[in-house]
Amino acid sequence: MALSLPLLLLIISNCFMTLAWYGHLKFLPHDAPLWKAILLSWVIALLEYSFMIPATRLLATHGWSMGQMKITQEVVTLLVFVPFMIFLFKQPFKLDYLWAGLCLLGCVYFVFRSQ
């Protein structure tokens, strides 16, 4: 139960970061000046940091190592990015995303097994 808050914060953080990295491709005209895309992304990224920093601090207080935090964050990134890509950008799902997710689960196993 105590880990649910930092994991929820990680998920929210990744939603904002995915939007910051790729949202300009969907929401700004392709001929918009680059500075507008950068400014839009930075504003959204500020929201991302507002959730990511508390999440990592909470995980650190639970004794998580930096490696554990990073691998968990990568798993969350994939869990957020794939639906974002499919539903917002109408990209097709590929079975390779499932295999990539399974590889990340292997990473999770290895960084947490020594506890």
Short mmCIF file of all heavy atoms in Angstrom, two decimals, residues 20-21 24-25 28 32-46:
data_model
loop_
_atom_site.label_atom_id
_atom_site.label_comp_id
_atom_site.label_asym_id
_atom_site.label_seq_id
_atom_site.Cartn_x
_atom_site.Cartn_y
_atom_site.Cartn_z
N ALA A 20 5.03 15.57 -23.41
CA ALA A 20 6.04 16.60 -23.66
C ALA A 20 6.93 16.22 -24.83
O ALA A 20 7.29 17.06 -25.66
CB ALA A 20 6.88 16.84 -22.41
N TRP A 21 7.32 14.95 -24.92
CA TRP A 21 8.23 14.52 -25.97
C TRP A 21 7.56 14.42 -27.33
O TRP A 21 8.17 14.71 -28.36
CB TRP A 21 8.82 13.17 -25.63
CG TRP A 21 9.92 13.20 -24.61
CD1 TRP A 21 10.33 14.27 -23.87
CD2 TRP A 21 10.76 12.12 -24.22
NE1 TRP A 21 11.35 13.91 -23.04
CE2 TRP A 21 11.63 12.59 -23.23
CE3 TRP A 21 10.82 10.79 -24.59
CZ2 TRP A 21 12.58 11.79 -22.62
CZ3 TRP A 21 11.77 9.98 -23.98
CH2 TRP A 21 12.64 10.48 -23.02
N HIS A 24 3.78 17.60 -29.31
CA HIS A 24 3.89 18.67 -30.31
C HIS A 24 3.68 18.12 -31.73
O HIS A 24 3.24 18.85 -32.62
CB HIS A 24 5.24 19.38 -30.21
CG HIS A 24 6.41 18.50 -30.48
ND1 HIS A 24 6.94 18.34 -31.72
CD2 HIS A 24 7.13 17.71 -29.63
CE1 HIS A 24 7.94 17.49 -31.66
NE2 HIS A 24 8.08 17.08 -30.40
N LEU A 25 3.98 16.84 -31.94
CA LEU A 25 3.76 16.25 -33.27
C LEU A 25 2.28 16.14 -33.59
O LEU A 25 1.88 16.16 -34.74
CB LEU A 25 4.40 14.86 -33.34
CG LEU A 25 5.92 14.82 -33.17
CD1 LEU A 25 6.40 13.38 -33.07
CD2 LEU A 25 6.61 15.55 -34.31
N LEU A 28 0.62 20.59 -32.60
CA LEU A 28 1.12 21.80 -33.27
C LEU A 28 1.20 21.52 -34.77
O LEU A 28 1.55 20.40 -35.17
CB LEU A 28 2.52 22.17 -32.77
CG LEU A 28 2.63 22.84 -31.41
CD1 LEU A 28 4.10 23.14 -31.09
CD2 LEU A 28 1.83 24.12 -31.34
N ALA A 32 4.90 24.83 -37.66
CA ALA A 32 5.08 25.75 -36.52
C ALA A 32 6.57 25.90 -36.23
O ALA A 32 7.34 24.96 -36.42
CB ALA A 32 4.36 25.20 -35.29
N PRO A 33 6.99 27.07 -35.79
CA PRO A 33 8.40 27.27 -35.47
C PRO A 33 8.86 26.30 -34.38
O PRO A 33 8.10 25.94 -33.47
CB PRO A 33 8.47 28.72 -34.96
CG PRO A 33 7.20 29.36 -35.39
CD PRO A 33 6.18 28.28 -35.56
N LEU A 34 10.10 25.90 -34.48
CA LEU A 34 10.67 24.95 -33.53
C LEU A 34 10.59 25.48 -32.10
O LEU A 34 10.33 24.73 -31.17
CB LEU A 34 12.12 24.63 -33.91
CG LEU A 34 12.83 23.60 -33.05
CD1 LEU A 34 12.08 22.28 -33.04
CD2 LEU A 34 14.25 23.41 -33.53
N TRP A 35 10.77 26.80 -31.92
CA TRP A 35 10.75 27.34 -30.56
C TRP A 35 9.39 27.12 -29.89
O TRP A 35 9.32 26.95 -28.68
CB TRP A 35 11.15 28.83 -30.55
CG TRP A 35 10.16 29.76 -31.20
CD1 TRP A 35 10.18 30.21 -32.49
CD2 TRP A 35 9.03 30.36 -30.57
NE1 TRP A 35 9.11 31.04 -32.72
CE2 TRP A 35 8.39 31.17 -31.55
CE3 TRP A 35 8.48 30.31 -29.30
CZ2 TRP A 35 7.24 31.90 -31.28
CZ3 TRP A 35 7.33 31.04 -29.04
CH2 TRP A 35 6.73 31.82 -30.03
N LYS A 36 8.32 27.11 -30.68
CA LYS A 36 7.00 26.86 -30.09
C LYS A 36 6.90 25.42 -29.59
O LYS A 36 6.34 25.16 -28.51
CB LYS A 36 5.90 27.13 -31.10
CG LYS A 36 5.62 28.60 -31.32
CD LYS A 36 4.42 28.78 -32.22
CE LYS A 36 4.14 30.26 -32.42
NZ LYS A 36 2.96 30.49 -33.27
N ALA A 37 7.43 24.49 -30.36
CA ALA A 37 7.41 23.08 -29.94
C ALA A 37 8.24 22.90 -28.67
O ALA A 37 7.84 22.20 -27.74
CB ALA A 37 7.93 22.19 -31.06
N ILE A 38 9.40 23.55 -28.63
CA ILE A 38 10.27 23.46 -27.45
C ILE A 38 9.60 24.07 -26.23
O ILE A 38 9.60 23.49 -25.15
CB ILE A 38 11.64 24.10 -27.74
CG1 ILE A 38 12.38 23.28 -28.79
CG2 ILE A 38 12.45 24.24 -26.46
CD1 ILE A 38 13.64 23.96 -29.34
N LEU A 39 9.02 25.25 -26.39
CA LEU A 39 8.36 25.92 -25.27
C LEU A 39 7.19 25.09 -24.75
O LEU A 39 7.04 24.90 -23.54
CB LEU A 39 7.89 27.32 -25.69
CG LEU A 39 7.25 28.16 -24.61
CD1 LEU A 39 8.24 28.42 -23.47
CD2 LEU A 39 6.76 29.48 -25.18
N LEU A 40 6.37 24.58 -25.66
CA LEU A 40 5.25 23.73 -25.25
C LEU A 40 5.75 22.51 -24.49
O LEU A 40 5.23 22.16 -23.43
CB LEU A 40 4.44 23.30 -26.48
CG LEU A 40 3.31 22.30 -26.21
CD1 LEU A 40 2.21 22.93 -25.37
CD2 LEU A 40 2.75 21.78 -27.52
N SER A 41 6.79 21.88 -25.00
CA SER A 41 7.33 20.68 -24.35
C SER A 41 7.91 20.99 -22.98
O SER A 41 7.75 20.21 -22.04
CB SER A 41 8.39 20.05 -25.25
OG SER A 41 7.79 19.57 -26.44
N TRP A 42 8.58 22.13 -22.83
CA TRP A 42 9.15 22.50 -21.54
C TRP A 42 8.07 22.77 -20.49
O TRP A 42 8.22 22.42 -19.33
CB TRP A 42 10.07 23.71 -21.68
CG TRP A 42 11.47 23.27 -22.00
CD1 TRP A 42 12.02 23.14 -23.24
CD2 TRP A 42 12.48 22.90 -21.07
NE1 TRP A 42 13.30 22.70 -23.13
CE2 TRP A 42 13.63 22.55 -21.81
CE3 TRP A 42 12.53 22.82 -19.68
CZ2 TRP A 42 14.79 22.13 -21.20
CZ3 TRP A 42 13.70 22.40 -19.08
CH2 TRP A 42 14.81 22.06 -19.84
N VAL A 43 6.99 23.40 -20.92
CA VAL A 43 5.89 23.66 -19.98
C VAL A 43 5.30 22.34 -19.48
O VAL A 43 5.06 22.16 -18.28
CB VAL A 43 4.81 24.55 -20.64
CG1 VAL A 43 3.55 24.61 -19.80
CG2 VAL A 43 5.37 25.96 -20.87
N ILE A 44 5.10 21.40 -20.40
CA ILE A 44 4.56 20.10 -20.01
C ILE A 44 5.57 19.33 -19.17
O ILE A 44 5.21 18.68 -18.18
CB ILE A 44 4.15 19.30 -21.27
CG1 ILE A 44 3.02 20.02 -22.01
CG2 ILE A 44 3.72 17.89 -20.88
CD1 ILE A 44 2.73 19.45 -23.38
N ALA A 45 6.85 19.44 -19.51
CA ALA A 45 7.89 18.73 -18.76
C ALA A 45 7.98 19.24 -17.32
O ALA A 45 8.31 18.47 -16.41
CB ALA A 45 9.23 18.86 -19.46
N LEU A 46 7.67 20.50 -17.10
CA LEU A 46 7.66 21.02 -15.72
C LEU A 46 6.63 20.26 -14.88
O LEU A 46 6.89 19.93 -13.72
CB LEU A 46 7.34 22.52 -15.72
CG LEU A 46 7.26 23.18 -14.35
CD1 LEU A 46 8.58 23.06 -13.60
CD2 LEU A 46 6.85 24.63 -14.48
#
